[in-house]
Amino acid sequence: MQIQGQTQPKPLARWLRSRWLHPLNDAVAWEQMLCAINPMWSRRDYPARVLAVIDETADTRSLWLQPVARWPGHRAGQHVVVEVEIDGRRLHRSFSLSSAPTADGRVRITLKRQPGARVSAWIQQLRAGDVLRLSAPQGDFLAPADDAPLLLIGAGSGITPLMAMVEELRAGGRHAPLVLVHICRNEEDFIFGARLRELASRWPAFDLRVHFSAVAGRPDAVALTRLLAGTGHCEARVCGPRALVAAVESLYRAAGVAGRVRSESYRGRVLPAADGAASAHAVHCTNTERVFTAGADTSLLQAAEAAGLQPAHGCRIGICMSCQCRKRSGSVLNLRTGERSSEPDELIQLCVSVAQSPLELAL
Amino acid sequence: MSKAHLSPAQLDAFQRELDALRAEVAGDIGQRDAEHIRGVVASARAHAVAGRSLLMFGFDPLSFAAGVLALAKAKILENMEIGHNVLHGQYDWMGDPTLNSQTYEWDIVCASRDWRKTHNVEHHNHTNILGKDDDYGYGLLRMTGEQRWTWRTPLQPLSYLLLALLFQWGVAIQDLKLGRWFKGRMQPGELRQRAAPFLRKARGQLFKDYLLFPLLAFWNWPRVLAGNALANLIRNLWTNAIIFCGHFTLDAQVYSKAEVADESRGAWYLRQIQGSGNLEGGRWLHLLSGHLSHQIEHHLFPDIPAPRYTEMAPRVREICARYGVRYNSAGFWRQYLGVLWRILRHALPLDRRPAGLAPATHAEA
Ligand code: FES
């Protein structure tokens, strides 16, 4: 899990952590002992207990969580990285918080079940009393602080951070116009539909505009312009698939006010190339900000070296693990084992892996 | 004692069968393996706490003996079942940074990073290739007639005894390549650079066992000091015996560089099998040896969680039988006496093979 703003430890703290004192200073052992007694006593990240599980739609479920008291607290629009352990593997996924900050620190995450999304499906099965781990809240996808007209646009489960914003603005007693445009398949698929309709009926400043794509089709540029009518290119927050974000951004760019849109897009799952045997893919090294291309017939290690990078390596035949690297996104095939890695944030061996899609590597 | 000769087609089929076995087991890895390694970590910790407490707070010889044994067991578990296997990346899939091959630091004077290089890269890649596998005789012992006999060789029973007693130090300085230094083929700067991680690690280990814990015991310090030294000694002797049984039993084959030029993946598998030897015994033997009692399976599949070797062994054996490949496996004493016999026998200038085969020296990197 990413810890932001990590600073150099003080000399005393560094000395206490030094290997010379091992095992007296074995923080991991202490941590595991505490966890064995009560998982909420853990000092690693922020354990959070599931308080309640609520079905929102047929495939969407909300979990109310109570993080430990030292959790820093969030602002509407932010997300957290959730850590779960499935079948012995620790996995991390980020989810938007769908609730506004509350006095007692509870938070809500809302997940949609999607084919192949193992982690979401697993979290959806949790019950009240279970414990998962959160990171500190992250992200700057926030509503502006001023009391000017605001436009929120969300599609599908992109409603989650926007819902938190709506609740937060409502609690702040807002009077300036607030427009929420929501795009989803149909009424049954409308996450938080009842709550939003109720708010719209009792809160004059709040204007809810819903677009059902099962009836009206995917909104094209014309439909989108109609949906946004009267908002006058005010400050906007968009959350949804990349295509929607791009469409809104281009409308704003055309109006010369591109700076007024802030967006968040859930990462589209990168599917393995259908028959990419001959094709080469772009590999983006996130640590060094370098890009190279890798064909399906050369290992990523060879491709990286050919591009002038020098990744750590040893045996070059897949047994020593020297070349191990974190793959942020994309799909690779391990030629030695025949295993495919297509989940984000998995460890891969560069010397025996070939690219099957565009990749992001922590190199 | 002879090597199996399989045709290229047979080698390919052989490789495919072993690959299929690996894929099958790899696909099943999960909860059970995670629980195993966590259980061993907990057990090693419990033994360490028990051992150190007995040494620190006891007065009688009985608690001293129990303390030494418990601490030795803790160190053996940590080095073998945890350290060795974690550093092979067997548990990287868990995503637990405390059990990750790139970050784990084990409880011996050898720095993990150095060992990953000498062991994972050099030894596992070049298993039993004379002149390339530094683990073959550790540059100290003549274990086969293909190695050169010199005036120092007759002393090798003594050098072996020293190596066994101080095994962790032997392993720790392997990456220093002192042989090159003695021959004047290494600059002082390079040696300093190579030695830095080792010196840092060794300093911490010595401080802990021979200063910090004795001091914490106040008047009981001689007892703790002696107990820690004994526990380290037992661990050294045991790990040495296990490691030597892995590749120097009577039936273990050696290879020349020429023999392995352009070897196929099937031939690589074959070399791993013929260069290794298994130990038969109960669950305790497998656990305390870090499952290196299944040296053959470990060399075939170094990144599969070690307890799985026990399941894989009968099937590897069966595959070998069908291809007429000798599967070297016997009880501990039988294998270890074979190792000792090899050390004694090759101390004498007997069995000198014709030149042309590369001698095992430290010369090659
Ligand atoms: S270089 Fe050894 S596993 Fe990739």
Side-chain angles (χ1 to χ4, degrees):
Chain A
M1 212 168 283
Q2 252 143 34
I3 299 159
Q4 293 187 336
Q6 222 172 18
T7 49
Q8 273 292 313
K10 302 213 168 61
L12 176 69
R14 226 182 28 231
W15 194 80
L16 283 175
R17 262 188 247 162
S18 72
R19 288 208 52 79
W20 299 17
L21 291 174
H22 201 85
L24 295 182
N25 59 352
D26 192 343
V28 179
W30 292 110
E31 155 81 22
Q32 286 174 357
M33 214 153 68
L34 287 178
C35 268
I37 306 172
N38 181 345
M40 292 296 284
W41 292 351
S42 161
R43 305 294 296 171
R44 184 169 71 79
D45 311 322
Y46 303 96
R49 195 177 288 285
V50 178
L51 296 173
V53 181
I54 296 159
D55 280 326
E56 304 288 354
T57 69
D59 59 0
T60 307
R61 201 168 259 190
S62 286
L63 274 72
W64 276 101
L65 306 171
Q66 178 75 65
V68 281
R70 60 190 168 81
W71 194 67
H74 77 290
R75 293 186 55 194
Q78 288 193 298
H79 61 267
V80 283
V81 178
V82 175
E83 179 188 297
V84 295
E85 193 182 305
I86 305 177
D87 204 14
R89 288 172 170 78
R90 265 186 207 174
L91 300 168
H92 299 100
R93 294 288 180 277
S94 50
F95 296 103
S96 294
L97 293 161
S98 60
S99 62
T102 56
D104 54 8
R106 302 150 171 236
V107 291
R108 179 177 62 188
I109 54 171
T110 303
L111 316 92
K112 195 182 173 100
R113 201 172 321 121
Q114 258 143 6
R118 276 200 313 150
V119 177
S120 301
W122 191 88
I123 295 177
Q124 280 205 347
Q125 284 165 25
L126 292 177
R127 314 237 151 279
D130 290 340
V131 172
L132 32 77
R133 284 170 187 280
L134 308 183
S135 68
Q138 301 174 353
D140 55 358
F141 184 65
L142 306 171
D146 60 358
D147 206 26
L150 177 63
L151 168 65
L152 306 176
I153 309 168
S157 54
I159 188 76
T160 47
L162 306 181
M163 185 68 206
M165 286 183 195
V166 170
E167 296 275 12
E168 187 180 55
L169 295 170
R170 171 71 179 151
R174 180 189 172 89
H175 296 293
L178 172 66
V179 180
L180 172 64
V181 173
H182 182 59
I183 300 153
C184 61
R185 216 166 333 134
N186 52 33
E187 188 67 47
E188 285 73 54
D189 234 26
F190 188 5
I191 307 167
F192 305 129
R195 171 70 182 147
L196 286 168
R197 289 240 153 81
E198 184 207 321
L199 276 176
S201 67
R202 289 193 291 124
W203 180 12
F206 182 47
D207 177 2
L208 175 66
R209 303 175 186 178
V210 188
H211 176 96
F212 289 134
S213 54
V215 183
R218 270 212 196 151
D220 50 14
V222 179
L224 201 57
T225 315
R226 197 161 23 165
L227 273 168
L228 306 190
T231 56
H233 296 110
C234 62
E235 203 51 51
R237 299 289 176 267
V238 201
C239 183
R242 287 212 172 116
L244 174 74
V245 170
V248 175
E249 277 173 351
S250 80
L251 281 179
Y252 269 66
R253 209 172 315 117
V257 285
R260 288 199 192 149
V261 193
R262 242 191 248 175
S263 63
E264 192 156 81
S265 170
Y266 29 90
R267 249 190 212 171
R269 280 173 67 76
V270 185
L271 294 172
D275 187 23
S279 58
H281 300 285
V283 181
H284 176 198
C285 307
T286 57
N287 294 355
T288 53
E289 286 305 326
R290 300 265 308 256
V291 177
F292 63 94
T293 48
D297 50 353
T298 45
S299 74
L300 286 168
L301 181 61
Q302 288 170 328
E305 285 173 342
L309 282 101
Q310 291 168 327
H313 66 271
C315 65
R316 306 184 78 99
I317 57 169
I319 57 167
C320 74
M321 303 290 168
S322 307
C323 63
Q324 207 179 48
C325 162
R326 192 164 287 282
K327 182 202 65 180
R328 299 266 172 236
S329 71
S331 173
V332 303
L333 179 71
N334 183 320
L335 293 178
R336 180 168 161 253
T337 64
E339 283 156 24
R340 186 173 284 219
S341 157
S342 33
E343 299 268 344
D345 276 328
E346 286 187 321
L347 291 172
I348 60 164
Q349 289 166 278
L350 295 177
C351 69
V352 286
S353 294
V354 294
Q356 301 256 295
S357 78
L359 297 175
E360 275 181 346
L361 298 179
L363 258 184
Chain B
M1 275 275 287
S2 69
K3 293 174 199 170
H5 288 288
L6 302 180
S7 70
Q10 279 174 314
L11 279 175
D12 281 349
F14 185 63
Q15 175 216 332
R16 274 196 301 277
E17 290 204 45
L18 289 169
D19 279 343
L21 174 60
R22 187 200 179 278
E24 186 190 318
V25 174
D28 185 48
I29 288 172
Q31 194 64 36
R32 178 150 62 102
D33 306 272
E35 275 163 20
H36 166 82
I37 193 67
R38 287 197 197 117
V40 179
V41 169
S43 159
R45 274 189 201 136
H47 277 89
V49 171
R52 293 202 187 268
S53 318
L54 281 167
L55 289 175
M56 206 177 271
F57 303 117
F59 292 96
D60 56 307
L62 205 65
S63 65
F64 178 76
V68 168
L69 288 181
L71 187 56
K73 185 172 171 194
K75 283 176 177 275
I76 286 171
L77 283 176
E78 199 280 335
N79 283 179
M80 304 294 266
E81 184 66 13
I82 306 169
H84 172 265
N85 292 338
V86 164
L87 289 174
H88 264 294
Q90 292 180 2
Y91 297 95
D92 284 351
W93 56 270
M94 285 173 66
D96 182 341
T98 67
L99 294 173
N100 183 277
S101 60
Q102 312 298 307
T103 52
Y104 192 83
E105 192 57 63
W106 57 352
D107 187 25
I108 66 169
V109 293
C110 175
S112 290
R113 237 191 61 211
D114 288 347
W115 186 82
R116 286 211 315 267
K117 202 153 99 217
T118 56
H119 181 88
N120 287 16
V121 181
E122 293 170 9
H123 168 60
H124 270 268
N125 210 359
H126 307 303
T127 314
N128 287 27
I129 303 175
L130 292 179
K132 280 197 124 181
D133 178 4
D134 233 5
D135 277 20
Y136 201 86
Y138 290 89
L140 201 62
L141 306 174
R142 179 174 182 259
M143 303 298 285
T144 166
E146 277 117 327
Q147 281 169 297
R148 195 185 292 141
W149 189 90
T150 71
W151 58 269
R152 265 175 302 160
T153 317
L155 293 175
Q156 78 176 10
L158 200 67
S159 10
Y160 173 66
L161 185 68
L162 274 177
L163 178 68
L165 291 172
L166 299 170
F167 192 55
Q168 62 162 338
W169 296 92
V171 171
I173 60 168
Q174 220 182 331
D175 194 43
L176 268 49
K177 314 263 186 231
L178 289 179
R180 251 160 66 186
W181 162 255
F182 287 136
K183 289 181 193 140
R185 278 196 268 157
M186 192 191 290
Q187 296 298 311
E190 188 189 341
L191 184 67
R192 254 199 308 278
Q193 206 184 339
R194 280 180 179 274
F198 154 66
L199 290 175
R200 216 176 308 124
K201 185 76 192 288
R203 205 170 50 193
Q205 291 294 107
L206 290 174
F207 175 83
K208 177 176 78 174
D209 275 348
Y210 301 114
L211 203 63
L212 179 66
F213 277 102
L215 283 178
L216 287 175
F218 295 107
W219 55 86
N220 232 352
W221 69 266
R223 196 177 134 103
V224 170
L225 190 77
N228 289 354
L230 266 177
N232 278 325
L233 184 71
I234 294 173
R235 188 264 321 268
N236 282 349
L237 290 173
W238 172 253
T239 50
N240 171 270
I242 293 296
I243 306 290
F244 270 63
C245 282
H247 300 290
F248 308 129
T249 53
L250 292 177
D251 281 337
Q253 299 292 336
V254 287
Y255 293 78
S256 70
K257 284 189 233 173
E259 265 176 296
V260 297
D262 299 324
E263 80 180 340
S264 67
R265 199 159 154 67
W268 186 86
Y269 270 149
L270 185 61
R271 175 160 58 85
Q272 301 303 326
I273 295 173
Q274 296 189 322
S276 310
N278 279 8
L279 300 174
E280 284 159 16
R283 213 186 97 80
W284 68 271
L285 176 73
H286 301 317
L287 196 64
L288 290 184
S289 66
H291 287 82
L292 292 183
S293 47
H294 294 299
Q295 189 73 243
I296 296 178
E297 286 72 27
H298 173 59
H299 263 266
L300 290 173
F301 316 111
D303 54 347
I304 293 281
R308 299 285 185 158
Y309 299 153
T310 316
E311 307 161 19
M312 299 170 100
R315 300 179 56 187
V316 172
R317 196 176 196 143
E318 185 269 326
I319 296 173
C320 286
R322 270 193 284 114
Y323 287 82
V325 174
R326 174 141 172 62
Y327 185 93
N328 172 9
S329 175
F332 175 80
W333 287 113
R334 210 192 127 136
Q335 297 283 54
Y336 193 51
L337 290 175
V339 171
L340 297 180
W341 170 242
R342 254 178 114 146
I343 294 173
L344 290 175
R345 196 175 100 100
H346 290 106
L348 303 174
L350 303 170
D351 187 27
R352 287 211 235 184
R353 306 278 167 85
L357 288 170
T361 64
H362 262 168
E364 265 87 13

